[in-house]
Amino acid sequence: MRLGNKEIKFHPGEAVFPLLVLLAGIMYIYDLQGIGSPHLNLLLIRPLLIVLFPLSLYLFFTRGFEIKRGTGSEETGVGVFIVFKEWSRPLIFILFFLLYVYVSARVSFLYTTFFFVLAVLLLLGERGMKQLFLIPALVSSFVYLVFVRLLGVLFP
Amino acid sequence: MIDLEILLSGLAMVLRWDLFLLMGVGVLIGAVAGAIPGLTGGIGIALFLPLTFHFPALQALVFLLSIYTGSTWGGAVTAILINTPGSPAAAATAFDGYPLTRKGQASRALGLSLSASMSGALIGALALMIALEPLGRFTLRLHAPERFLIAFFGLSIIASLRQKNQAKAFLAGLFGFLLGTIGMSPTGAMRGTFGWMYLLEGIPFIPVLIGVFVIPEIFKLMQEQYITEKLVVPNHSLGEVMKGFWETFRHPVTLIRSALIGVGVGAVPAAGSTVATLISYNQAQVLSSDDEEKFGEGSPKGIIAAEGANSSSEGGALATMLALGIPGGMGTAVLLGALITQGWVPGPRLIVEHMEVIYGIIWAQFFEALLLLPLGIIIAYFASKIIFVRTSILIPIISVFVMAGAYSLKYSFVDVYLLIFFGLVAWFMREYDYPLIALILGLLLGPMADAEFLRTYQRYAGDFTVFLTRPISLFLLLLTVGLLLYPYFKQLRRR
């Protein structure tokens, strides 16, 4: 974005954490509405929030935005797509992980483990048939032996 | 004063083959439990606690303590090899241990951690033997203002974490602090829970810790084929483990200082080994000369400081637990349960009534530390082979263990979702240079600082001059201010 002879560049990655802290602080305050004995229960929380808000705003604006003087390159919006391309593999992994937890809770941890390991191996580029079947089977068996048999953990 | 006759009869009590067998098995179980992310020594002890119900008191306590001793070092194995601390106390070990692994010196790092851990445990046991009675008397004098300042002292470490990005370090620390206050307040009010009972006791620490350390690491590993930048075969040997083992003794000042910090901080109720390792690591960093290998990039002193304090804190924590019945951390909390199960009442009377057995337990600690050497070398040697495994195979294995470990804490899948959430937050933090350890410190020490500050307010009717009028408080306050100002003083002196 351009403002006169200044160019303002937005760094979405830098803005994420201060924004998250800000959001968490607002939610926290919202939940504190009507709390009993605020002079006691918020004794240390108040000064904490007083420092937290300006600090997160400061970092949001100073790190999230970059102001450059003079002529700069045209804003194309391509940067955001590059960031998402870089994040695609971790994000797919997280989706697999969430699905793994969700299905484990409903079906069976051990069977789901087999398919989760298989899916992640494929995601990370393993193509050998031996690895693709042997590793999931070994991991599932090992988890069963250590957690279920040895430590007595009860899985669904 | 130590009664020599009771001390020797305590030694005679443990010189039995069945006890040595229990010690060996316990150290092995502990090392494995400590190495699995999510399974801390405390959990390991808790899992084997039912087994000891039928044991006599000495056998039961020696076995459980062996698990504790093994786990304090076990956490370092995964911290060094895959940057995944097996236990919270091993977090500081990863700072320098993992960079060494990436340089192809995993065996050296494991050897360093092993000898520092063994020495720390020996010094801790010695300190426990000498200081059990006087330490018990001293900790009785620590009240709310001192306990608050101890937490504050721990939090002040955040200031020295990032000299260039201090605002980011503070934001991360304050965010952790805020998260740490979620749950029931010391007066019984709910804060930041939105009425969700799951958060009644606060955000569970273990899943957050696993998520913060493991998930960003998994993402990082996704970009590489192997853990190490280059696979250096000659360095991966038993000889290298032994080389690292002896290297520790070339830094006696760091080793002894870290062990003493570990004993001192470990003795403070609720401070625990994690705080001890972080303080020790920070002190080693602050007091190091400029020409040395940089901390955070594979400094042997960093590993020694972290592991020396970690293992010696066990001695301090045991002193407080035995003398006052106050657990220093999760591990000692479970041990306390074991003591009570045996019909013992922890406190000053315990020392008087069961002095012989107490000394027997301390002697056992010496032997456990010595057993750590052969068993640790075997574990370290085989564990370091992990660097030859492709990351595409390691990632799913780590993920499954992380998931199983987090779930097994409370049989709750919510813990696993929490782990994933904090893992993503930590990923952003690491990508944009927010120190993760600041978040962890805030989360860990925040509740303690909050509760003790409130107690000080109530006890002294809002008069905060108490921090200046109580001698121990004043000492702790000056120490904290000194720690905060020292880096600036050092910078000024350099100019």
Side-chain angles (χ1 to χ4, degrees), chain B residues 91 216 407 429:
Chain B
Y407 169 80
M429 287 177 71

Side-chain angles (χ1 to χ4, degrees), chain B residues 467-484:
Chain B
F467 291 120
L468 301 169
T469 52
R470 291 174 66 89
I472 302 171
S473 278
L474 184 65
F475 171 73
L476 285 168
L477 194 65
L478 290 173
L479 200 68
T480 309
V481 173
L483 180 73
L484 283 168

Side-chain angles (χ1 to χ4, degrees), chain B residues 270-350:
Chain B
S273 54
T274 311
V275 181
T277 53
L278 292 169
I279 290 175
S280 170
Y281 183 84
N282 184 59
Q283 290 303 304
Q285 191 176 16
V286 167
L287 298 172
S288 71
S289 57
D290 297 333
D291 55 334
E292 278 169 335
E293 203 166 357
K294 281 182 184 167
F295 276 73
E297 293 176 17
S299 166
K301 279 189 179 179
I303 299 174
I304 297 166
E307 279 305 302
N310 184 10
S311 296
S312 65
S313 68
E314 184 188 341
L318 277 177
T320 317
M321 187 201 81
L322 292 168
L324 298 173
I326 301 170
M330 195 175 167
T332 40
V334 185
L335 279 173
L336 194 66
L339 269 182
I340 295 164
T341 310
Q342 292 291 340
W344 290 11
V345 183
R349 282 192 65 190
L350 177 83

Side-chain angles (χ1 to χ4, degrees), chain A residues 123-135:
Chain A
L123 175 74
L124 299 177
E126 284 292 332
R127 293 292 180 267
M129 291 306 277
K130 229 188 252 175
Q131 283 98 320
L132 286 177
F133 287 96
L134 201 65
I135 294 165

Side-chain angles (χ1 to χ4, degrees), chain A residues 117 121 130-140, chain B residues 393 396-397:
Chain A
V117 175
L121 284 170
K130 229 188 252 175
Q131 283 98 320
L132 286 177
F133 287 96
L134 201 65
I135 294 165
L138 282 173
V139 173
S140 306
Chain B
I393 291 168
I397 296 172

